[in-house]
Amino acid sequence: MNSKILQSFEKLAIEQPDNICVLDDVQQRTRQQVMQQVEAVATELMEYQHQVIGLLADNSVQWLIMDLAAQRAGIILLPLPLFFTPDQLQHALQSAGAIGLIHDRPLMIDDEFLGESHFVKSLMLTFTACRNISVIALPPGTAKITFTSGSTADPKGVCLSNDNQYQVSQSLLSVLKMENVRHLALLPLSTLLENIAGLYTPLLSGGEIILLGMEKTGFSGSLSGNIFQLLTTISHYQPESLILVPELLSALLIAAEQGWQPPESLQFIAVGGSRVASEMIERARQIGLPVYEGYGLSECSSVVSLNTPVQDNPGTAGKVLPHVDIQIEKGEIMVSGNTFLGYIGTDLSHQNTVSTGDMGYLDQDGFLVIQGREKQLLISSYGRNINPEWVESEVLAHPGILQCILFGDAKPYCTALIYTHLNDAALENWLSHVNKKLPVYAQITKWQRLEQPLTAKAGLLTANGRPKRDRIFTFFQHDLEAIYQESQYGIF
């Protein structure tokens, strides 16, 4: 079988077979070598054609090879986040009807669920079969299943076609106008944004991708990573492009303001996952980090809009990409043009329009402004509507503040949980500065310091760094309720 992604890459491999296109810390591959290994892996796994196989592995050349080999062999690929718990992994495999998974680490899943294992020689990874799997009807054309890491213990599986993914990569190439891009993948490749914008797009630009494991990048998907290792890696490999979540951007900002020199090779840094204050973007650019905010969601194969060097308006999510259209209905962003095929385990037929659940609008120049999640809207006990992402982005504009989660639903005032390197006095001073820019009802009246950062591994963040608010509230409910029980006049 041949996807448009493979066809485009094969053309590049024929034109310049000896160009290096991917490397990690131990190996590199030319385009011709990649295609040869893709063919070998596809041949070895051809018996699983039209079936679902999970992929649980760190960023590496093998990850890329397996992704392309699945397209060649007609295998439906199920990339699995490394932070998933054993129960979430088993749920994902069962709900997708996966016949097995390819992995680079020991599995902690229930032994009764797992069958025999064998070594995939052409890939140098292990295949383990799954037992007692039911046949699951998937939407026609499904080539990849990506699991949202929403607010429940059992995430939803989004079914995408190869064409869905190809359209996004082509749109990105057309608006960025970057050729032969040297990209360093910092986010896990199981994150759809990195998979499409950080893997396919640089590859099809004629460029090369640097795929390093979490131990080598120093970034494990949360602030518990090794920032020194991260900085060393970026400086050593001299990439032209990066994809960051806001949390990671904050860490790089702190480092740069403390003396780290971002490499001059950097031309474009995309940041997404949650809203970023324009003040933070401007500060990043002043110190050599060419940051541009975008917006997307899994149901649209990731990127929907993006700021670029040519069309740029900090504080917005950029211009809508050419392969999609956006309408605003009752304040909600609706996307059409490249929608997903459906969720696994539901009767939802293919929809031409996706209801994003995000509130926003297009400004007079056509830039998309994101106002926050409809379901995350806080309504104070005085009936005031408060968008938490708006307030949080203002707080996070300070590079010394790495996480901020706002609460205040059905309460007289807002409270925040904050993870920061600042001392109490400096934090109070910054919050006072932020509050002066906010209406009284949205100001942060009280706050509590987080001793440890929130992580995806603990189930409190999504893979893109978005807070799972319901779970965070449950985890800190006792502390938050204690704050509101203290004597305090409400604010109108």
Side-chain angles (χ1 to χ4, degrees):
M1 299 182 68
N2 232 3
S3 67
K4 290 181 180 178
I5 295 169
L6 265 180
Q7 288 175 356
S8 298
F9 181 66
E10 278 186 292
K11 182 180 178 182
L12 290 170
I14 292 171
E15 293 172 351
Q16 295 177 313
D18 298 326
N19 282 28
I20 301 296
C21 65
V22 62
L23 61 134
D24 58 26
D25 59 316
V26 296
Q27 59 186 323
Q28 61 184 26
R29 295 281 191 278
T30 64
R31 293 172 185 165
Q32 184 178 56
Q33 288 172 331
V34 166
M35 283 309 307
Q36 288 171 343
Q37 191 172 359
V38 165
E39 295 292 350
V41 174
T43 299
E44 191 169 353
L45 298 178
M46 190 60 74
E47 63 182 293
Y48 304 121
Q49 189 175 48
H50 305 311
Q51 299 185 77
V52 178
I53 291 181
L55 176 58
L56 182 69
D58 207 345
N59 289 6
S60 63
V61 172
Q62 284 98 324
W63 207 105
L64 167 64
I65 298 296
M66 181 58 207
D67 186 291
L68 297 179
Q71 296 179 41
R72 174 67 92 205
I75 292 168
I76 301 167
L77 193 65
L78 170 61
L80 295 162
L82 298 179
F83 63 78
F84 265 16
T85 65
D87 286 345
Q88 286 180 316
L89 288 173
Q90 185 167 331
H91 163 76
L93 293 164
Q94 284 180 319
S95 61
I99 51 115
L101 75 160
I102 286 176
H103 52 99
D104 66 354
R105 63 201 57 222
L107 299 174
M108 307 303 291
I109 304 173
D110 187 348
D111 287 342
E112 294 184 2
F113 177 71
L114 299 176
E116 295 183 357
S117 298
H118 71 267
F119 195 62
V120 183
K121 294 180 180 178
S122 57
L123 193 60
M124 303 295 285
L125 294 175
T126 302
F127 175 91
T128 299
C130 297
R131 290 176 173 161
N132 303 319
I133 290 295
S134 302
V135 176
I136 305 295
L138 298 174
T142 298
K144 182 170 287 173
I145 301 172
T146 182
F147 270 83
T148 66
S149 40
S151 58
T152 66
D154 295 334
K156 294 187 294 184
V158 175
C159 298
L160 302 172
S161 68
N162 283 323
D163 195 54
N164 282 146
Q165 301 169 80
Y166 177 76
Q167 291 294 334
V168 177
S169 66
Q170 290 303 295
S171 267
L172 289 172
L173 287 173
S174 70
V175 300
L176 290 174
K177 304 185 188 307
M178 293 175 67
E179 297 182 354
N180 307 316
V181 179
R182 181 177 172 84
H183 179 79
L184 172 60
L186 293 178
L187 304 185
L189 290 173
S190 58
T191 304
L192 189 64
L193 173 60
E194 191 73 79
N195 189 179
I196 295 178
L199 204 64
Y200 300 150
T201 304
L203 201 65
L204 300 186
S205 79
E208 62 182 27
I209 313 155
I210 304 155
L211 300 177
L212 305 173
M214 292 187 297
E215 192 174 306
K216 297 296 181 182
T217 62
F219 182 63
S220 60
S222 75
L223 290 168
S224 58
N226 183 335
I227 186 66
F228 177 76
Q229 181 64 51
L230 173 64
L231 300 176
T232 301
T233 296
I234 294 174
S235 297
H236 173 73
Y237 283 97
Q238 298 283 303
E240 295 173 345
S241 69
L242 300 169
I243 298 173
L244 307 178
V245 292
E247 173 185 310
L248 190 48
L249 174 59
S250 294
L252 295 185
L253 260 175
I254 292 172
E257 292 182 341
Q258 292 179 349
W260 174 65
Q261 182 62 49
E264 294 182 3
S265 60
L266 284 170
Q267 299 176 23
F268 187 85
I269 300 176
V271 61
S274 59
R275 182 175 170 178
V276 182
S278 58
E279 184 178 346
M280 177 180 283
I281 291 174
E282 296 289 3
R283 185 184 296 121
R285 292 178 183 178
Q286 289 171 6
I287 57 178
L289 294 170
V291 174
Y292 296 87
E293 187 176 5
Y295 166 77
L297 61 162
S298 299
E299 287 84 350
C300 297
S301 294
S302 191
V303 190
V304 168
S305 67
L306 184 65
N307 282 292
T308 69
V310 176
Q311 295 183 312
D312 179 43
N313 186 1
T316 75
K319 287 286 186 78
V320 178
L321 295 183
H323 71 289
V324 289
D325 293 306
I326 280 183
Q327 300 82 37
I328 308 297
E329 296 185 8
K330 297 181 179 179
E332 182 183 359
I333 300 168
M334 312 291 284
V335 184
S336 59
N338 190 45
T339 57
F340 71 130
L341 303 178
Y343 296 112
I344 58 174
T346 70
D347 294 328
L348 178 66
S349 58
H350 178 55
Q351 303 290 313
N352 292 324
T353 302
V354 170
S355 302
T356 67
D358 291 313
M359 309 302 287
Y361 63 91
L362 292 168
D363 71 12
Q364 60 184 8
D365 297 317
F367 288 89
L368 180 63
V369 179
I370 309 296
Q371 297 175 299
R373 295 288 295 170
E374 180 181 25
K375 294 180 181 178
Q376 291 174 355
L377 195 68
L378 305 179
I379 304 177
S380 76
S381 55
Y382 291 104
R384 299 284 192 176
N385 292 341
I386 305 164
N387 179 347
E389 292 183 346
W390 159 49
V391 179
E392 289 161 0
S393 70
E394 294 295 335
V395 175
L396 291 167
H398 194 300
I401 299 177
L402 302 176
Q403 291 179 334
C404 175
I405 313 298
L406 193 75
F407 296 93
D409 194 51
K411 301 296 183 182
Y413 57 87
C414 291
T415 297
L417 298 177
I418 296 175
Y419 181 71
T420 178
H421 299 315
L422 302 180
N423 60 35
D424 288 0
L427 178 56
E428 284 281 9
N429 185 58
W430 175 250
L431 292 179
S432 176
H433 168 74
V434 169
N435 280 338
K436 289 177 183 177
K437 300 192 292 184
L438 298 171
V440 174
Y441 63 84
Q443 291 177 2
I444 297 173
T445 301
K446 294 195 175 184
W447 57 272
Q448 178 167 309
R449 182 183 295 273
L450 292 170
E451 297 302 324
Q452 299 292 331
L454 306 176
T455 65
K457 187 175 182 179
L460 302 178
L461 300 178
T462 69
N464 286 341
R466 287 181 179 270
K468 297 183 178 181
R469 297 180 188 276
D470 290 345
R471 301 183 82 173
I472 294 170
F473 177 79
T474 300
F475 193 85
F476 292 98
Q477 185 171 4
H478 177 76
D479 295 333
L480 290 167
E481 292 297 342
I483 290 174
Y484 285 108
Q485 287 172 6
E486 297 173 3
S487 178
Q488 172 74 38
Y489 287 104
I491 299 174
F492 188 74

